[in-house]
Amino acid sequence: MRVKDTLNLGKTKFKMRGNLPVKEVERQKAWEENRVYEQRQKLNEGKPTFVLHDGPPYANGDIHMGHALNKISKDIIVRYKSMTGYRAPYVPGWDTHGLPIEQKLTQAGYDRKKMSTNDFRKLCQEYAMKQVQRQMTEFKRLGVAGDWDHPYLTLQHQFEAAEVRVFGAFAKRGLIYKGKKPVYWSWSSESALAEAEVEYHDVTSPTAFYGEKVIDGKGVFDDQNTYMVVWTTTPWTIPASEGITVDAGFDYAVIQPEDDDRQFVVASELVSKVSELVGWKNVKVVKTVKGADMEGVLAEHPFDHNRKLLTMLGDFVDLEEGTGLVHTAPGYGEDDYNVGRKYGLDIFAPVDNKGYLTKEAGPDFAGVFYDDANKIALDKLKAAGLLLHYMPLKHSYPFDWRTKKPIIFRATPQWFASVDKIKDDILNAIEDVKFYPGWGKVRLANMIKNRGDWVISRQRVWGVPLPIFYGEDGEAIITQETINHVADLFDKYGSDVWFEREANDLLPDGFKSEHSPNGKFTKEDDIMDVWFDSGSSHQGVLADRPELTYPADMYLEGSDQYRGWFNSSLITSVAVSNKAPYKSILSQGFTLDGNGHKMSKSLGNTIAPIEVIKKMGAEIVRLWVTSVDTSADVRVSMDNFAKISDSYKKIRNTMRFLLANTTDFDPQTNSVSFDEMDSQDQYMTVLLNKFLKEARDAYENYDFLTLYKKLLGFVTSDLSAFYLDMAKDIVYIDRADGHARRSMQTVMYNVVTTLTKLMTPVLPHTAEEIWEFLKEPEDYVQLSDIPEPKHFDNDAAILSKWAKFMTYRDDVLKVLEEARDAKQIGKSSEAALTIYATSEVKDLLDSLNVDLKTVLLVSQLDFKTFNDAPDSSTKFDSHGLALLVQPAEGKTCERCRLVKTDVGADSDYPTFCQSCAEIVRSEFPETATAGFDAK
């Protein structure tokens, strides 16, 4: 036997390196084979329900870091709820309709205009299903638990039927109407867009200042020689101009520049600015009029002398830019449309689906792409002597979020869902919703307040058709009878049936309408906005599946969804039931690259989750999710993951130490009660429960960053740097079944089991690996519960007392470090420490009732009064103590490695201190005569 064999050196087969990329896959396979998710659901039957409803990602391409952040965050919450008394089912979903899939097929060489609609839709469905399987595999690889065998897809028959019934709820409330009004029009997609499908980028546009000749001044202006100075950033829209808008409350000046016999009308506040831009000198103000007095003044259209432009009053004119007089084309803008409707103007938009101006715009513009028409318009203004000034202006402009091309505003006949009519109901519905972060409530409310009516029709084929029929007289037929019948057909056959059958075959048997005396009907060709698809998921999923609840307890998505899914779901839910579809909303920032730039494949700055997983494992990505502040945008770099990997190693190695030193511990027979624990073990038990409460509070508040910091702090500071550091002198040295060792092992076992359960929502693979080495009844840690914090009668006093001691300990560590630097000692175990303490400090240290030598990691310790402290000591006056470090006297015990004066006192063990000799004689009596083998 060797001396080291008498020590209780912990051993474990739990490996230092996790080999996560390989082992995680094996573990996930075992979970799936053993139906662990289903077992957890079974265990939680009858408990209160917590439903986190999955916002459906779009089924196209590999997942990115934003997906990983989103899905892992959801998984952490669902796993935590499942382990703390809730039935928390998770049904993943996918958004499977829409333009991107059509575009992918077009890029693959398919021309939908040369195929039947049904054949093209079948290709779309096949593509979507492949993408769902592709993304599902990647989500599962992240360790996300859920009902993967039964996901929801917006192309499922039942879901499409539910969506049609949601449309029916709008129709029943009189919220569906058809109108010709300007909408976001994507010429690159050949379709109308919803607000949520638009993003903004800075562009530079040719801004024109030009005159429009007054032909009927209504007694306010001279009819012969006065020009209204208007401005526009879209000269290509001038052919559609129907009027000029001014503000009733502004003052407008009629000015006469030097060397120009014409008079011009400009907002008074902008005379100097406009004069400088145009180059007018010595400008004379002829008269000033109120905007209200200008109403009804007529001007001549700059390109068509036969057309008259009406001066109107509007509230959207400002004095920040321009002239105070706005070129108004009701077919090309919402403000223009609203004021034009008020004054009875034509809604004129001479531009086609692809962005080319039509013949109605005039011969010079017909067939010209809208952006190229800017130059033609400017040249015509210049030739007519009306162009006063033009310049480039940088401003924010809407783009199609999918094609990344600029869009236009274009009045086309579209189907709308009225938001204005139920806006108050919508705003009332969010009053009881809890928002994380809190500012989300104001953001969503403002989005709703400023939102116009929802254009829900799309000129595409891959989606859910609008369930609208037309009579022989062209009148739209939208009844509850027809809508419910279509919903029933979709439930049975899917929405393909709409394109497979004639209109009459989609109507209820014997259906009659006054609008079709001959019984002939047609049907709508447009499909519904995909935001109506996903926005109906509260009916297609939550209200439909028995294991779920409506409303959901939480929706969790990126902050862009305040104008997207949060928004559309809220509107549809209020239309259906007058309540929000969620009880709480948690929003997260975007993932950016390490320099704060948006990740983009074209920029080459993306980091795919699968890349990190292959190198480091999914656990590193999961731990990273908890380490970032998701209330703001999150920067991602491989350096981040390398740092997280280091943190993971600290956690793993600490858990390994705990496992190794509890291998011979049976919690059923070896546990020591709290009252019988040694003082430092009581302190660590109280500290563990304090941490447990803080960690649970962080989980409850979805504050993952605090959770991460608390976990790392507890592992590195409280455990590794303090408790486990001093524990070695007890668990290694003491009798195997000695009270001090069993007391400490009780704490270690409680720590490792508690931490393992607490970490499971974040690090499920590692937690399950640890669980295999614990003596717990559940087959999987995922089937256990996270414990509630325990409270002890004197826990506050224990924490207070030890907190003061830890301050003194910091002082001791400081002087020991200085002694090492001065070469007085090597290790702290070679030190003799003298503490010169006030009576107050001495009383506190005595009250700890611990072996301070062990706790402070020194071989010898002596106490003296503070007033006796020599000059050679280091004084900490504010703490009431002074410290002196000297080399310990005696010899180093071969077994415990402490310097003792009684080494060799037992002749049978000449290299052992008295304590070690007694332990070894008791535990290994044969060594008294046989001695030890050489090292």
Side-chain angles (χ1 to χ4, degrees), residues 177 347 361 385 521 525 578 594 716 744 754 778 788 860 891 902:
Y177 69 93
I347 310 302
F521 299 90
D525 292 328
N578 253 2
T716 57
M744 194 161 271
T754 301
E778 298 88 356
E788 294 276 0
Q860 293 162 12
K891 296 179 180 180
D902 58 0

Side-chain angles (χ1 to χ4, degrees), residues 333-354:
E334 186 173 3
D335 290 331
D336 300 42
Y337 170 82
N338 291 332
V339 74
R341 281 286 299 272
K342 178 181 174 184
Y343 284 89
L345 300 184
D346 289 339
I347 310 302
F348 182 44
V351 63
D352 68 14
N353 291 357
K354 296 183 178 181

